[in-house]
């Protein structure tokens, strides 16, 4: 009788591990497909695949980020997209996507929802984000805050760092 119980427990453990590996494999495949859709600007398809991937493994930050990016790019209300990016950053389990991309989107969403001080904190937290998009969000945040000095500083930095960027501050 004891041998039978031990065999049953071993079978359940093996089955559980096999099931977990299969779910992770499906989630990784969904991640690959969603990245391809995102690169081709197929926002709806990217979002559907990323959300499907979270059903199989919700610990992968990349899936949450891609769903957020796709929804934002497709024109969804920033306040509705914000929780997806927060989840991605909280999970902090990155496979392919750089965490800084999620931080940048998070700052943009904060700025778009008039949480400009939080957006600036996100951009300036360690490691500080430097890119044309980051400087644009800094300038926009300062502008929305109505701080002329901060806005001028962000504008000057951006113009010095990115002279050939097509965005105009």
């Amino acid at each position: 009788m004891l041998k039978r119980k031990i065999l049953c427990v071993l079978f359940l453990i093996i089955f559980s591990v096999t099931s977990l590996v299969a779910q992770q494999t499906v989630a990784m495949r969904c991640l690959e497909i969603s990245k391809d859709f995102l690169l081709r600007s197929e926002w709806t398809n990217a979002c559907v695949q990323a959300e499907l991937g979270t059903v199989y493994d919700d610990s992968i930050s990349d899936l949450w980020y891609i769903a957020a990016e796709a929804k934002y790019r497709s024109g969804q209300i920033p306040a509705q997209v914000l929780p997806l990016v927060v989840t991605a950053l909280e999970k902090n389990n990155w496979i392919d996507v750089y965490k800084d991309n999620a931080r940048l989107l998070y700052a943009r969403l904060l700025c778009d929802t008039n949480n400009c001080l939080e957006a600036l904190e996100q951009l300036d937290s360690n490691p500080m984000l430097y890119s044309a998009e980051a400087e644009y969000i800094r300038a926009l945040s300062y502008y929305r805050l109505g701080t002329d000095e901060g806005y001028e500083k962000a504008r000057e930095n951006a113009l010095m760092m990115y002279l050939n960027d097509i965005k105009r501050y």
Side-chain angles (χ1 to χ4, degrees), residues 3 25 27 41 45 56 58-59 61 63 70 75 77-78 80-81 83-84 88 94 100 112 117 132 142 152 158:
K3 287 183 181 180
T25 302
S41 302
N45 292 333
Y56 289 99
D58 70 348
S59 72
S61 296
L63 293 167
I77 298 169
Q80 293 174 338
V81 178
L84 296 172
W94 301 96
D100 290 346
D112 288 348
L117 286 176
Y142 281 122
E152 283 301 316

Side-chain angles (χ1 to χ4, degrees), residues 9 22 28 30 48 66 88 92 98 105 108-109 134 138 143 156:
V9 169
M28 294 301 291
C30 289
V48 167
I66 289 172
N92 199 27
Y98 295 110
L105 177 61
R108 180 59 191 241
L109 292 168
R138 274 189 187 90
Y143 178 76
E156 288 172 14

Side-chain angles (χ1 to χ4, degrees), residues 18-121:
T18 305
S19 176
L20 182 61
V21 170
Q23 287 181 330
Q24 288 175 336
T25 302
V26 172
M28 294 301 291
R29 182 66 184 136
C30 289
L31 175 60
E32 292 302 316
I33 294 169
S34 66
K35 286 190 321 188
D36 288 342
F37 282 132
L38 195 65
L39 289 173
R40 293 193 311 243
S41 302
E42 295 182 29
W43 313 128
T44 303
N45 292 333
C47 185
V48 167
Q49 283 298 313
E51 287 176 342
L52 179 62
T54 63
V55 170
Y56 289 99
D57 187 352
D58 70 348
S59 72
I60 300 174
S61 296
D62 304 52
L63 293 167
W64 294 99
Y65 165 73
I66 289 172
E69 184 73 40
K71 285 185 177 198
Y72 179 72
R73 299 280 179 185
S74 67
Q76 280 208 358
I77 298 169
Q80 293 174 338
V81 178
L82 204 51
L84 296 172
V85 178
V86 170
T87 301
L89 292 168
E90 286 174 350
K91 299 273 183 191
N92 199 27
N93 180 24
W94 301 96
I95 307 297
D96 289 326
V97 178
Y98 295 110
K99 181 180 179 179
D100 290 346
N101 292 343
R103 287 181 55 214
L104 197 57
L105 177 61
Y106 183 47
R108 180 59 191 241
L109 292 168
L110 288 170
C111 182
D112 288 348
T113 55
N114 287 323
N115 294 307
C116 298
L117 286 176
E118 290 178 52
L120 291 168
E121 287 174 13

